[in-house]
């Protein structure tokens, strides 16, 4: 009967299902919604446990109307990813409040499945997916408890059986799920429209103020992964170019909009072999694309600015893969554009007089540009410390850094160096990006993390064009006070252990495969699936046909397997009986091979009259083996389990169950 | 420890309705009161009767062969005939003859003593092979043909034949091939001390038999026979029977092993045995309890063997494993 009231175990599992479905959302929701939804679920469980009065009927409708009103109040509308998920969670919690019968529980669990899977709209990493699958198996276990109430069993045994059944159901669905994943025709764009409202991503910005990079340097999440066509260049040469910053306002470096425009091709002259590679960029919600110095062309849907930085036309909201070619040996803009020169020499008036004075002295004493650069680098080498725990700087940040604190990390060095160059009359700019990376041998790719973020300078020299100068590299190695990561603080030091770092880097391989195989599997790749079979671009109908054929095949196989599994399992029964006989033999009552089970039972009963379980097992065996033509698999399994659970103590006269 | 859960295997329903089962038990008890201390043999005799076979009792005179047959007939309310086999007995003496009736101007069949529900063929090995084979044919076919007319024998038709294994002078022992016609062979043996004392102390057996009241009627016996056919022999049991047959054929001390007919007899006797125990299914113990009776007289030992047929049959039982 579908209107059967729920047993306490059934309700508990239903409530647990609803909870795990809501939980991934709850952690993300604003307090305005998280608190009432959580209270609803907890309150309902407590109320049922202590048989308190339920929510009165007249209050339900106002409650149901309250949430949409709150959502509209908070988000402005009911539709979209965020408001929709809040609404679903709220309705699910309310459904639990009125769940009394099996019918209600079925509806609640089915809806919980939907809510649970909608969490994938917010995060689709491997870890999240695995957690959701585990939660899903709990839902399936709850469904099983609804069908097979475990009232006659001890609660823990029943729960274990339910969980096992749930996990099995999930496992059994894997082949069908895989087929549907690959062949179910996909939409060209995500179903839920603009997925740009998530802003939690970190990454390079188009502004560099003191401390902005500091956040990145202690962030271990991957920024992008690279696969080189040929052996990679040395790690020291891996300068991944990001935003180029021209404008300094005294405290922060930023980038004027118009430098995004593309210019003539002849400003970049290259020599030597170009390096081909493929970058898989993590979503950043920004438009920067990373490239090795210097990219020969921009990928599709992106432009290359005059300063060789790549800008995508749309923000990178999803995992993005693009191919590039870069020239490690190049000459850039050997004749400097007058506008560029103006920007590359501009300094904010009224800031940092001591730095300007120092630069002017260098210009006067040394004269040529290379000597000035060497002098600046020598200054850093001799007198400066590298640390992430950089002291705060005042209004004249460059002066403070150069003459007072002398401690800092890449952004301080790049900023101060560029300032000095400009003050000495050498065109200069700040380049931000990443440096280095970790080579994963197993997967043969490089992973570059946010903590590899870096800033350096480019100066323009007559006859050579823009030349990369990394002032941070000039700091004497002995003067590095703390590694970038160690600066994250004592509490996280275990997390920074070398072996753990290595492990994380190696494990990144799995994430990469997940990205490759699952997240990156889009409509385009799906269409090219059937290419080996002579179909260049698979139509939806062709995909659908493949889907139908394959899933029918799998279902037929499953059916065959089920029928086969229902067949009598004589061998298993023999094995279980052999095990029972072995236990008897150990207890001192060996069976002659020619002795029938009833005669054995008679002997056992004569010797150990109070061994009821043993006699019952022997009687069950006789029935399974001889009283029916074909013993059922379930009965045989139950017998085998009971035999396995039987404990006989080896003793001459008395056999007692242990425990 | 939580008790392991066991999906309950429903106990099989009893093969007989309660009144019939009770009557069967009473019938056995009654025969046991007359034939003292031979409950195993009585059970075998009942099994043979219910399985639709015929019984050969091989034993010395005076151990109660006739008493057993009498008691069976009286208890089951079967019509009873005793035929004392002698060397001058002719087939027509047991089957009957066609006599010309002058008034009606035609031959009329006068049935012989074979036309009874329970026939005691005493000292069957004293008759000539011709007469013996007439009896055996009738046993096999449940009918006799005289002058081209077939006469059905009554149902149930149950022959208890006896032969004296020792007194061989002037006898025609049944050939091995003919022994196959008897489903079961048993020997009664001397009663044990206690039973013999009771036997001596009590009144004459013949008076006891005369006082016996029928516990079952022939219709119920037929009903029991059809119930035997319905007893389940599971694949595992048939495997066991087959293994016994194979073992009898490959055993080094046996020249000729058990025939397929012997296999059928084993199964049927085992089914009847199960029914007597009130079970609707056979277990290996049923087969084992009837095996020597059913198989021993069909085994032909090799010349090199020093063991008796019974010993060989027991050796087979000890040799074939049970599942």
């Amino acid at each position: 009967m579908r209107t059967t009231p729920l047993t306490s175990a059934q309700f508990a599992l239903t409530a647990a299902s609803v909870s795990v479905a809501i939980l991934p959302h709850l952690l993300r929701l604003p307090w305005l919604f998280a608190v009432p939804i959580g209270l609803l679920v907890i309150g309902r469980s407590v109320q049922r446990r202590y048989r308190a009065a339920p929510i009165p009927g007249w209050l339900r409708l106002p409650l149901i109307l309250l949430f949409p009103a709150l959502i509209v109040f908070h988000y402005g509308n009911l539709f979209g990813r965020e408001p929709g998920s809040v609404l679903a969670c709220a309705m699910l919690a309310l459904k639990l409040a009125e769940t009394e019968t099996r019918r209600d529980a079925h509806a609640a669990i089915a809806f919980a499945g939907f809510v649970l899977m909608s969490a994938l709209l917010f995060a689709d990493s491997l870890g999240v997916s695995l957690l959701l699958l585990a939660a899903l198996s709990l839902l399936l276990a709850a469904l099983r408890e609804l069908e097979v109430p475990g009232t006659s069993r001890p609660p823990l045994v029943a729960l274990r059986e339910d969980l096992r059944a749930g996990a099995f159901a999930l496992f059994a669905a894997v082949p069908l799920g895989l087929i549907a994943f690959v062949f179910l025709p996909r939409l060209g764009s995500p179903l839920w429209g603009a997925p740009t409202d998530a802003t939690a991503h970190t990454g390079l910005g188009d502004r560099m103020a003191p401390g902005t990079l500091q956040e990145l340097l202690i962030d271990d999440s991957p920024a992008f992964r690279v696969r080189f066509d040929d052996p990679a260049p040395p790690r020291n040469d891996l300068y991944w170019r990001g935003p180029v910053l021209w404008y300094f306002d005294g405290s922060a470096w930023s980038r004027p909009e118009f430098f995004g425009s593309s210019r003539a091709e002849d400003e970049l002259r290259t020599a030597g072999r170009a390096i081909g590679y493929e970058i898989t960029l993590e979503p950043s919600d920004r438009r920067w694309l990373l490239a090795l110095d210097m990219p020969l062309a921009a990928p599709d849907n992106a432009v290359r600015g005059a300063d060789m930085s790549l800008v995508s036309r749309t923000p990178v909201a999803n995992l993005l893969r693009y191919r590039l070619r870069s020239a490690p040996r190049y000459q850039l803009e050997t004749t400097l554009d007058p506008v560029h020169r103006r920007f590359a020499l501009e300094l904010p008036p009224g800031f940092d007089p001591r730095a300007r004075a120092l630069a002017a002295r260098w210009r006067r004493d040394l004269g040529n540009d290379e000597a000035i650069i060497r002098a600046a680098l020598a200054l850093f080498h001799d007198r400066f410390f590298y640390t992430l725990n950089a002291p705060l700087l005042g209004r004249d940040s460059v002066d403070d850094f150069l003459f007072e604190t002398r401690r800092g990390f890449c952004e301080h060095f790049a900023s101060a160096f560029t300032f000095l160059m400009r003050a000495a009359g050498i065109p200069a700019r700040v380049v931000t990006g990443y440096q280095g990376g970790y080579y994963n041998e197993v997967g043969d790719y490089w992973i570059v993390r946010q903590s590899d973020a870096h800033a350096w300078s480019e100066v323009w020299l007559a006859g050579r064009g823009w030349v990369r100068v990394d002032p941070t590299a000039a700091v004497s190695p002995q003067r590095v006070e703390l590694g970038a990561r160690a600066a994250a603080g004592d509490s996280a030091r275990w997390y920074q252990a070398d072996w753990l770092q290595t492990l994380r880097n190696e494990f990144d391989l799995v994430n990469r495969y997940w990205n490759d195989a699952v997240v990156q599997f889009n409509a385009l790749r799906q269409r090219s699936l059937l290419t080996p079979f002579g179909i260049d671009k698979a139509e939806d109908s062709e995909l659908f046909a493949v889907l139908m054929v394959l899933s029918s095949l799998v279902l037929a196989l499953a059916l065959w397997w089920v029928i086969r599994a229902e067949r009598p399992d004589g061998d298993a029964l023999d094995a279980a009986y052999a095990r029972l006989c072995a236990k008897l033999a150990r207890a001192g009552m060996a069976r002659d091979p020619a002795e029938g089970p009833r005669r054995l039972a008679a002997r056992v009963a004569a010797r150990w009259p109070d061994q009821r379980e043993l006699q019952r097992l022997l009687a069950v065996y006789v029935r399974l083996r001889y009283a029916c033509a074909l013993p059922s698999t379930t009965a045989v399994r139950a017998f085998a389990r009971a035999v396995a659970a039987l404990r006989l103590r080896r003793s001459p006269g008395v056999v007692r169950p242990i425990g | 420890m939580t008790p392991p859960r066991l999906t309950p295997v429903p106990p099989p329903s009893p093969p007989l309705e309660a009144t019939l089962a009770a009557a069967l038990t009473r019938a056995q008890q009654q025969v046991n009161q007359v034939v003292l201390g031979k409950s195993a043999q009585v059970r075998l005799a009942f099994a043979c009767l219910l399985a639709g076979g015929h019984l050969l009792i091989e034993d010395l005179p005076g151990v109660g062969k006739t008493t057993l047959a009498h008691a069976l007939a009286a208890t089951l309310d079967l019509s009873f005939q005793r035929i004392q086999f002698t060397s001058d007995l002719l087939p027509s003496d047991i089957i009957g003859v066609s006599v010309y009736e002058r008034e009606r101007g035609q031959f009329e069949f006068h049935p012989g003593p074979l036309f009874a529900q329970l026939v005691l063929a005493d000292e069957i090995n004293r008759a000539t092979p011709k007469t013996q084979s007439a009896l055996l044919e009738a046993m096999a076919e449940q009918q006799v043909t005289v002058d081209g007319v077939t006469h059905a024998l009554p149902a149930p038709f149950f022959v208890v034949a006896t032969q004296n294994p020792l007194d061989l002078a002037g006898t025609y022992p049944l050939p091995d091939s003919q022994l196959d016609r008897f489903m079961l062979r048993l020997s009664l043996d001397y009663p044990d001390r206690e039973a013999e004392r009771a036997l001596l102390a009590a009144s004459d057996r013949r008076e006891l038999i005369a006082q016996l009241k029928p516990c079952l009627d022939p219709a119920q016996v037929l009903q029991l026979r059809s119930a035997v056919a319905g007893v389940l022999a599971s694949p595992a049991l048939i495997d066991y029977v087959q293994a016994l047959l194979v073992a009898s054929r490959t055993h080094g001390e046996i020249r000729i092993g058990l025939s397929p007919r012997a296999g059928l007899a084993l199964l049927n006797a085992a089914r009847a045995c199960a029914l007597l125990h009130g079970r609707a299914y056979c277990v290996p113990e049923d087969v084992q309890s009837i095996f020597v009776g059913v198989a021993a007289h069909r085994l032909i030992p090799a010349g090199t063997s020093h063991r008796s047929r019974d010993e060989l049959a027991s050796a087979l039982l000890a040799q074939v494993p049970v599942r």
Side-chain angles (χ1 to χ4, degrees):
Chain A
M1 289 292 283
R2 293 177 66 78
T3 52
T4 321
L6 294 177
T7 67
S8 57
Q10 284 173 337
F11 181 81
L13 271 172
T14 309
S17 302
V18 169
S19 306
V20 298
I22 291 180
L23 202 61
H25 296 277
L26 215 55
L27 303 174
R28 196 176 37 74
L29 292 186
W31 286 108
L32 177 63
F33 300 108
V35 170
I37 289 175
L39 279 181
L40 261 177
V41 173
I42 295 169
R44 166 63 174 152
S45 306
V46 171
Q47 173 260 324
R48 195 181 144 104
R49 172 77 181 77
Y50 293 103
R51 298 196 189 343
I55 299 176
W58 58 266
L59 195 56
R60 279 192 199 157
L61 191 63
L63 265 178
I64 289 174
L65 293 176
L66 172 70
F67 278 101
L70 274 177
I71 291 165
V72 171
F73 168 73
H74 190 264
Y75 291 102
N77 68 9
L78 269 181
F79 306 103
R81 196 163 56 151
E82 287 280 348
S85 70
V86 178
L87 188 61
C89 287
M91 292 303 130
L92 181 58
L94 284 170
K95 180 70 200 169
L96 183 69
E98 62 155 21
T99 294
E100 287 292 352
T101 64
R102 268 186 59 193
R103 183 194 166 86
D104 293 334
H106 272 288
I109 294 171
F111 190 40
F114 172 79
V115 172
L116 186 66
M117 287 301 119
S118 68
L120 280 176
L121 299 186
F122 299 93
D124 52 9
S125 76
L126 177 62
V128 170
S129 306
L130 288 179
L131 278 178
L132 288 189
L133 283 186
L136 192 58
S137 76
L138 182 65
L139 265 61
L140 293 170
L143 280 179
R144 197 232 181 209
E145 179 66 30
L146 289 182
E147 297 307 321
V148 192
T151 40
S152 62
R153 295 164 284 169
L156 277 179
V157 174
L159 180 65
R160 210 174 52 204
E161 284 181 3
D162 288 339
L163 288 176
R164 192 185 295 161
F168 179 79
L170 194 66
F171 180 72
V174 164
L176 270 186
L178 277 180
I179 291 174
F181 172 76
V182 175
F183 290 107
L184 196 68
R186 276 159 191 265
L187 300 171
S189 60
L191 187 59
W192 50 92
T196 47
D197 50 349
T199 52
H201 297 302
T202 57
L204 286 177
D206 49 4
R207 212 177 123 81
M208 187 179 84
T212 40
L213 280 187
Q214 197 165 12
E215 270 175 38
L216 287 184
L217 289 173
I218 57 174
D219 179 2
D220 240 355
S221 60
F224 56 96
R225 298 180 177 83
V226 189
R227 185 189 284 278
F228 287 98
D229 296 346
D230 302 312
R235 194 173 176 281
N236 285 343
D237 292 348
L238 294 179
Y239 279 85
W240 304 99
R241 192 180 188 84
V244 178
L245 310 179
W246 294 76
Y247 179 69
F248 187 53
D249 66 1
S251 67
W253 290 83
S254 59
R255 170 188 173 83
E257 278 301 316
F258 61 84
F259 274 105
S261 61
S262 186
R263 277 174 46 94
E265 293 293 318
D266 61 347
E267 62 196 14
L268 178 67
R269 268 178 300 186
T270 63
R273 263 174 69 96
I275 301 168
Y277 55 97
E278 186 182 64
I279 288 186
T280 311
L281 188 63
E282 292 285 325
S284 62
D285 291 326
R286 297 205 169 89
R287 291 162 57 162
W288 303 113
L289 303 185
L290 278 300
L292 203 59
D293 275 349
M294 288 291 177
L296 294 178
D300 290 347
N301 198 27
V303 291
R304 190 178 61 170
D307 51 17
M308 293 292 139
S309 55
L310 300 180
V311 183
S312 167
R313 292 189 201 280
T314 51
V316 182
N318 296 308
L319 210 59
L320 177 71
R321 177 170 297 173
Y322 53 91
R323 284 199 60 81
L324 278 179
R325 292 177 66 72
S326 289
R329 296 173 58 200
Y330 58 89
Q331 281 197 327
L332 179 61
E333 222 179 341
T334 39
T335 50
L336 191 59
D337 181 284
V339 179
H340 288 180
R341 175 182 291 275
R342 190 159 58 81
F343 273 99
L345 286 172
E346 190 179 78
L347 287 173
F351 280 95
D352 307 304
R354 294 167 74 187
R356 285 169 190 263
L358 176 66
R361 198 170 70 234
W362 280 344
R363 169 58 65 191
R364 198 175 56 237
D365 296 350
L366 301 169
N368 82 42
D369 292 351
E370 270 99 351
I372 293 173
I373 293 169
R374 272 198 301 277
L377 292 180
L379 177 73
F380 288 147
H381 179 84
D382 294 340
R383 312 269 289 273
F384 283 74
F385 291 85
Y386 180 90
T387 176
L388 276 185
N389 291 336
L392 287 176
L393 303 174
R395 176 180 176 274
D396 295 324
S397 60
V398 175
D399 274 3
D400 284 358
F401 175 67
L402 282 175
F403 302 105
E404 306 290 338
T405 66
R406 288 179 182 152
R407 278 154 215 277
F409 48 93
C410 55
E411 69 178 32
H412 298 96
F413 289 101
S415 170
F417 181 80
T418 310
F419 187 95
L420 283 173
M421 290 306 111
R422 288 187 177 182
I426 305 170
R429 59 195 184 189
V430 171
V431 183
T432 58
Y434 298 87
Q435 206 280 320
Y438 178 86
Y439 177 60
N440 189 314
E441 284 182 24
V442 188
D444 185 29
Y445 68 98
W446 287 74
I447 173 164
V448 180
R449 297 180 182 279
Q450 297 295 359
S451 51
D452 294 318
H454 195 47
W456 61 93
S457 301
E458 276 181 343
V459 293
W460 188 88
L461 298 174
R464 291 174 61 186
W466 288 101
V467 175
R468 181 173 67 218
V469 179
D470 187 352
T472 315
V475 179
S476 166
Q478 296 88 23
R479 287 170 182 270
V480 174
E481 283 184 350
L482 280 172
R485 283 154 179 168
D490 286 332
S491 61
R493 196 158 279 171
W494 66 270
Y495 182 72
Q496 310 295 343
D498 277 349
W499 63 270
L500 211 57
Q501 298 274 354
T502 314
L503 199 67
R504 269 208 302 281
N505 281 327
E506 298 284 350
F507 184 72
D508 184 66
L509 185 67
V510 180
N511 289 323
R512 184 169 166 275
Y513 282 138
W514 175 258
N515 282 341
D516 262 16
V518 179
V519 181
Q520 278 284 288
F521 188 80
N522 51 24
L524 203 64
R525 273 171 70 185
Q526 190 179 35
R527 291 222 186 81
S528 58
L529 264 184
L530 298 183
T531 314
F533 304 103
I535 301 173
D536 266 352
K537 288 222 172 221
E539 295 296 320
D540 282 358
S541 59
E542 285 161 338
L543 286 171
F544 204 67
V546 174
L547 174 69
M548 284 295 121
V549 168
L550 281 184
S551 46
S552 308
L553 248 162
V554 165
L555 283 177
L557 267 176
L559 198 64
W560 170 79
W561 187 76
V562 166
I563 291 171
R564 202 188 60 103
E566 279 304 310
R567 271 206 209 144
D569 210 344
D571 290 343
L573 184 55
D574 278 344
Y577 184 52
R579 195 166 171 191
L580 179 60
C581 291
K583 282 188 173 180
L584 274 174
R586 276 198 299 278
M589 172 79 80
R591 181 180 83 101
D592 186 86
E595 185 176 32
R598 281 178 69 94
R599 187 161 299 165
L600 179 67
R603 277 206 300 146
V604 166
R607 184 159 164 194
W608 300 312
D610 54 349
Q611 255 300 307
R612 293 279 157 71
E613 172 67 5
L614 189 54
Q615 285 156 31
R616 196 184 61 85
L617 279 179
L618 285 168
V620 167
Y621 172 72
V622 170
R623 278 190 221 146
L624 287 177
R625 175 56 82 210
Y626 294 107
C628 56
L630 308 166
S632 76
T633 310
T634 47
V636 169
R637 284 205 190 123
F639 174 70
R641 273 201 297 279
V643 167
L646 180 74
R647 297 277 179 279
L648 296 176
R649 190 180 288 165
R650 177 210 288 270
S651 73
V654 190
V655 177
R656 286 181 200 290
I658 293 174
Chain B
M1 196 187 96
T2 52
R5 283 194 325 110
L6 202 68
T7 311
V9 181
S13 51
L16 298 173
E17 39 186 289
T19 51
L20 194 55
L24 185 58
T25 313
R26 226 171 32 246
Q28 287 186 77
Q29 285 168 351
Q30 183 164 295
V31 174
N32 275 324
Q33 280 164 9
V34 180
V35 186
L36 293 170
K38 296 286 169 215
S39 59
Q41 284 87 339
V42 168
R43 184 179 291 277
L44 283 177
F46 266 89
C48 182
L49 172 64
L50 296 186
H54 302 283
L55 182 66
L56 177 66
I57 304 180
E58 225 172 50
D59 220 326
L60 304 169
V63 290
K65 297 179 293 233
T66 316
T67 314
L68 176 59
H70 263 296
L72 277 177
T75 305
L76 306 181
D77 199 18
L78 302 175
S79 58
F80 179 73
Q81 283 284 354
R82 172 184 178 148
I83 310 172
Q84 181 64 50
F85 278 45
T86 55
S87 56
D88 54 357
L89 195 73
L90 294 174
S92 56
D93 292 340
I94 58 170
I95 293 170
V97 286
S98 289
V99 178
Y100 186 71
E101 295 283 339
R102 192 175 304 232
E103 296 94 72
R104 298 192 207 161
Q106 60 181 28
F107 282 95
E108 193 157 301
F109 180 66
H110 289 245
L114 203 55
F115 282 80
Q117 286 165 321
L118 198 161
V119 175
L120 175 62
D122 219 355
E123 299 199 80
I124 188 174
N125 55 344
R126 295 205 172 275
T128 56
K130 192 176 178 181
T131 310
Q132 285 175 359
S133 65
L135 172 70
L136 295 167
E137 267 180 58
M139 278 162 52
E141 286 158 25
Q142 308 272 317
Q143 62 185 26
V144 291
T145 304
V146 178
D147 295 337
V149 182
T150 302
H151 305 276
L153 291 165
F157 178 65
F158 182 49
V159 173
V160 179
T162 71
Q163 71 176 351
N164 183 344
L166 293 183
D167 187 10
L168 292 178
T171 62
Y172 305 91
L174 286 173
D176 291 327
S177 59
Q178 301 285 33
L179 281 174
D180 204 23
R181 305 266 180 195
F182 290 94
M183 174 179 268
L184 211 133
R185 185 200 63 163
L186 55 84
S187 52
L188 284 173
D189 238 327
Y190 295 121
D192 60 29
R193 197 181 157 81
E194 213 172 311
E196 190 162 29
R197 186 168 184 86
L199 190 74
L200 296 173
S203 56
D204 190 358
R205 296 288 113 182
R206 262 170 275 174
E207 278 176 31
L208 268 178
I209 289 168
Q211 291 164 11
L212 288 181
K213 294 202 176 61
C215 298
L216 291 164
D217 57 38
Q220 284 175 316
V221 172
L222 290 177
Q223 205 181 332
L224 286 170
R225 278 190 175 179
S226 65
V228 165
V231 169
L232 172 77
S234 67
L237 187 100
I238 292 174
D239 285 348
Y240 180 53
V241 169
Q242 211 170 8
L244 284 169
L245 298 182
V246 170
S248 78
R249 292 166 196 163
T250 55
H251 195 280
E253 293 180 61
I254 298 172
R255 186 153 61 85
I256 296 175
L258 298 173
S259 64
R261 188 196 298 175
L264 281 173
L266 275 175
L267 264 183
N268 282 333
R271 283 192 170 110
C273 187
L275 191 76
L276 287 171
H277 282 97
R279 260 184 283 108
Y281 57 92
C282 279
V283 295
E285 285 80 358
D286 294 327
V287 179
Q288 289 171 347
S289 68
I290 51 93
F291 184 74
V292 175
V294 174
H297 64 284
R298 303 172 204 247
L299 294 174
I300 300 175
T304 52
S305 175
H306 300 293
R307 289 200 270 184
S308 73
R309 295 175 174 195
D310 284 13
E311 285 168 343
L312 284 175
S314 300
L316 286 178
L317 272 188
Q319 169 195 335
V320 175
V322 182
R323 277 162 88 187

